[in-house]
Amino acid sequence: MSSTAVDPAILHVVGDVGRPERAYEIPTDTRHIPGNDGLLTGLASLRGWMKRGHAHLQTQAKEHGPIYRGQVGTDRFVFVSDPKLAGEVLRNGDKAWSTALGWLVQFGGITDGPMDSPVTLDFGPHRDVRKLLQPAFKAEALESYVNAAVPLFESAVAQWLEQGEVAFKAHVRDLFARVSAKVFMGVDDPVEGARLDRAMSDYWAGGLALSKREWLSPTWRRARRAYRHLFEHFRGQVDERRASDSPDLFSRLCRTNNSVDWLDDDALVRMFLAVMSAAFDTTSAGVTSMAYLLAAHPEWQARLRTEARHVTTEPIRYDEIKKLELHDLVWKETLRYYPVAPSIPRQALRDVTLGGYHIPAGTVVGVVLSAALRDPSCWTEPDRFDPERFGAERSEGKKSHGAYMPFGAGAHACVGAQLSALEAKAFWHTLLGKARFKLARPYPARHEFKPLGSVSGKVELIVEAV
Ligand code: HEM
């Protein structure tokens, strides 16, 4: 992109905006925008996100309007919660917004060199990595991932049926961590899988550390150590994986023909770790929320069971998952009702006018994906769980631009959206074909962001054979 379109002060600090060398962290003056910031606001707001999830974000938007100034912990943002404006920022038609710089404010410094994550690259370099990722998300690859996941789903369901009562949130998180180890990393050994999962958790937690100084923050220290460990672990395996015919995502990435100079083997491993971090715990967060909703709506559980039994074979095959239309509606409605991704950061590359407000170059904007998901101007009875709103007849998700973006939009839209839906539907097919369930101790749930969005509580279930 033309460097004249970028504020010179930003260019001076970050170098190339396509592959920035560091974050741009010089505060901008946004006092003309309604809202509050400051440490006390930041701490109260953090509590609001964690305890009240999307309801907190809706309250903020009602109080301050569609564009407002805010702070979460120590990070200051201008939040954009109007669906149309949010879509405009994400589609980034005039290249005024940097995804890379937005995310670097959160994760920059986790490694001493560049991060080379799809979200910390933009424009040309970002296109290079999306191209490199493509083969690992094609139908043949997705099929092999689903085939590797289904036996793990089957043995988990068999174990739950034996147990009778299951702390679902914890169990399903562990199950999907085992699935990720196998499908993404090619690791079958549960002990090694658990070790890598702990390292991924520590790396991930770094994004939330209140300080990015090792001497001040044990969380940040652990995150940097975990990242180094993961990098060395996978870097040491590149040649072996390249020579293998292993179907996991990492081995596929190692085997991909790559003619881009800057994407050497070190960059490849950094990119792989970034994909893992983007995938981390997302699908299991959605599946947990769907369990609560299905327990609260037994009529939908029954409809999905009928579909699971009649539409496909046992165990489910990849090409049959697309026939699970009702499963698809419920998955979509779950991600609307209890969204997983809260808000995603962008940084203004130059002065911008958005929704009538002047946004100075360098301002970090939080594009709120979840406020629009309960907006009455976009959805009929938005607080009702109603999967049929996504059916062909009503197609509510397509009616308002920007109202339904659980996987983001534009060049950085989620690369794993299809895989996560396939895994979720294969999981529910496996469980519902064999079992019915209810909450062991019913409770009124909230939505919470910790930091991923999910239903509150442990979602303890009584699972019985049908
Ligand atoms: C319910 C599950 C998931 C949700 C809600 C979700 C949500 C999102 C969102 C909102 C973004 C956009 C970030 C931005 O624009 O700044 C994103 C990007 C991304 N997601 Fe997901 N995701 C999910 C599952 C996955 C999985 C399973 C994978 C990998 C296998 C994955 C890999 C990625 C990657 C690599 C990006 C960055 C894309 C880019 O910058 O070009 N996600 N995801």
Side-chain angles (χ1 to χ4, degrees):
M1 79 178 288
S2 152
S3 58
T4 53
V6 181
D7 187 279
I10 297 180
L11 266 188
H12 178 70
V13 172
V14 309
D16 177 5
V17 286
R19 195 181 179 216
E21 283 155 30
R22 61 186 66 82
Y24 180 82
E25 296 186 274
I26 298 171
T28 58
D29 186 355
T30 52
R31 281 171 298 179
H32 55 288
I33 298 173
N36 303 308
D37 46 29
L39 192 58
L40 284 183
T41 304
L43 294 176
S45 180
L46 190 59
R47 195 178 146 78
W49 283 60
M50 290 176 69
K51 291 270 174 208
R52 297 181 55 236
H54 68 75
H56 169 74
L57 290 166
Q58 273 174 293
T59 311
Q60 296 273 297
K62 261 191 208 139
E63 199 176 325
H64 305 300
I67 296 193
Y68 60 92
R69 190 162 39 91
Q71 180 158 333
V72 188
T74 51
D75 296 328
R76 292 171 64 214
F77 294 92
V78 166
F79 287 106
V80 181
S81 78
D82 172 78
K84 249 172 104 183
L85 297 176
E88 196 180 307
V89 174
L90 293 188
R91 277 185 291 280
N92 203 13
D94 49 4
K95 298 191 169 70
W97 302 100
S98 166
T99 300
L101 292 175
W103 280 102
L104 272 179
V105 169
Q106 229 159 340
F107 277 99
I110 199 124
T111 163
D112 293 325
M115 271 201 80
D116 294 329
S117 155
V119 289
T120 59
L121 298 165
D122 266 314
F123 313 117
H126 176 251
R127 278 193 295 277
D128 292 339
V129 293
R130 287 293 288 225
K131 212 165 146 199
L132 188 81
L133 283 172
Q134 250 171 26
F137 289 92
K138 279 203 166 139
E140 181 265 326
L142 295 178
E143 178 167 9
S144 75
Y145 305 151
V146 170
N147 290 345
V150 168
L152 293 174
F153 295 156
E154 291 200 303
S155 69
V157 169
Q159 192 196 333
W160 296 344
L161 279 170
E162 235 171 71
Q163 277 172 236
E165 186 168 328
V166 181
F168 189 82
K169 189 179 262 184
H171 274 70
V172 98
R173 197 233 157 249
D174 287 351
L175 170 62
F176 276 84
R178 281 207 305 283
V179 169
S180 290
K182 186 164 183 184
V183 164
F184 297 147
M185 309 178 188
V187 173
D188 260 328
D189 172 17
V191 177
E192 192 189 351
R195 197 168 49 78
L196 291 170
D197 180 51
R198 272 196 303 279
M200 276 309 299
S201 295
D202 286 347
Y203 157 33
W204 215 88
L208 304 173
L210 287 179
S211 165
K212 303 275 157 63
R213 291 188 178 87
E214 283 201 63
W215 57 271
L216 202 60
S217 164
T219 310
W220 187 243
R221 212 164 37 240
R222 265 197 305 278
R224 283 190 33 104
R225 202 170 44 226
Y227 188 90
R228 273 196 301 277
H229 166 72
L230 287 163
F231 179 83
E232 279 156 23
H233 177 90
F234 287 102
R235 181 65 186 86
Q237 296 190 9
V238 170
D239 291 338
E240 184 193 322
R241 298 292 188 105
R242 188 166 280 147
S244 77
D245 59 359
S246 186
D248 61 275
L249 187 134
F250 179 53
S251 302
R252 284 175 190 275
L253 288 179
C254 291
R255 287 195 298 270
T256 303
N257 276 337
N258 167 30
S259 54
V260 180
D261 277 353
W262 68 268
L263 257 170
D264 57 13
D265 286 350
D266 286 357
L268 181 91
V269 172
R270 287 193 288 267
M271 188 194 66
F272 166 69
L273 292 179
V275 174
M276 290 301 82
S277 117
F280 189 68
D281 279 358
T282 47
T283 310
S284 64
V287 166
T288 302
S289 297
M290 187 159 154
Y292 180 90
L293 289 166
L294 287 177
H297 297 274
E299 72 285 5
W300 272 100
Q301 209 182 118
R303 286 179 73 179
L304 296 201
R305 179 170 309 105
T306 307
E307 183 176 73
R309 285 185 165 169
H310 289 103
V311 174
T312 71
T313 57
E314 191 75 44
I316 190 159
R317 288 199 328 261
Y318 167 78
D319 57 328
E320 292 173 316
I321 298 178
K322 62 175 170 297
K323 296 185 202 156
L324 295 173
E325 289 171 9
L326 293 178
H327 284 62
D328 194 59
L329 300 187
V330 178
W331 177 241
K332 285 185 174 136
E333 175 68 342
T334 300
L335 297 180
R336 182 194 73 85
Y337 201 85
Y338 288 136
V340 172
S343 147
I344 48 181
R346 299 292 186 259
Q347 192 164 29
L349 285 171
R350 54 179 184 266
D351 288 354
V352 181
T353 302
L354 188 71
Y357 287 105
H358 171 68
I359 312 279
T363 302
V364 180
V365 154
V367 179
V368 181
L369 301 177
S370 59
L373 296 172
R374 297 281 187 108
D375 185 334
S377 68
C378 307
W379 310 94
T380 39
E381 293 187 77
D383 291 330
R384 203 159 78 85
F385 173 73
D386 178 11
E388 269 161 359
R389 68 174 82 246
F390 286 100
E393 240 168 68
R394 285 164 62 192
S395 291
E396 286 188 20
K398 292 183 188 149
K399 275 186 192 150
S400 307
H401 228 43
Y404 191 68
M405 302 189 298
F407 294 100
H412 287 272
C414 180
V415 75
Q418 203 191 346
L419 175 58
S420 103
L422 286 165
E423 279 187 355
K425 285 184 269 182
F427 167 80
W428 283 111
H429 174 273
T430 310
L431 177 61
L432 290 168
K434 296 188 175 71
R436 80 162 68 86
F437 60 87
K438 61 182 181 195
L439 284 169
R441 280 161 284 282
Y443 61 98
R446 288 173 284 104
H447 177 241
E448 54 188 27
F449 287 121
K450 283 185 165 174
L452 288 178
S454 185
V455 68
S456 65
K458 293 184 184 163
V459 194
E460 288 164 314
L461 301 179
I462 308 272
V463 182
E464 49 193 37
V466 282

